[in-house]
Amino acid sequence: MATGETGFDDVTYDLISVQYHSLKAGHDYGQYVRDAENAGKDDIAQFFKEVMEQDSQRAQRCHEFLRDLGGTDNTSPQGDVSGGSDPNAT
């Protein structure tokens, strides 16, 4: 598998990039929703909410792909990182 300049394989880097941008955009859309609501444009606010949900789903899908590629799942407790024994070793 090709490795990019970051030291990560291209697919992992691409997934991380899409996940980051989806999460960042989702954060920004919250302001867009408030702006539309403050302007009395409920239909536009609803549109921004839909876009925000799509980005949230996109970020979650990237997370699942990254986990499947062998990354760590930071949503669950991690093992001992102090150099102790590997809890997954048999």
Side-chain angles (χ1 to χ4, degrees):
M1 194 177 293
T3 301
E5 294 176 20
T6 63
F8 289 93
D9 67 80
D10 292 339
V11 172
T12 299
Y13 179 87
D14 296 345
L15 284 167
I16 291 169
S17 181
V18 169
Q19 184 179 42
Y20 168 80
H21 290 289
S22 295
L23 292 169
K24 173 72 171 94
H27 179 267
D28 295 341
Y29 295 147
Q31 182 62 51
Y32 303 167
V33 169
R34 288 187 295 277
D35 290 345
E37 288 173 342
N38 290 339
K41 303 294 185 182
D42 293 336
D43 54 339
I44 296 173
Q46 182 58 41
F47 168 74
F48 288 136
K49 289 177 184 178
E50 292 167 8
V51 171
M52 188 171 14
E53 177 59 29
Q54 291 166 359
D55 270 324
S56 177
Q57 292 171 356
R58 188 173 297 113
Q60 179 60 38
R61 187 129 187 245
C62 286
H63 183 79
E64 292 164 3
F65 281 131
L66 288 164
R67 184 185 59 228
D68 293 346
L69 287 173
T72 57
D73 182 348
N74 291 330
T75 61
S76 60
Q78 299 298 302
D80 181 12
V81 293
S82 64
S85 64
D86 181 0
N88 296 321
T90 54

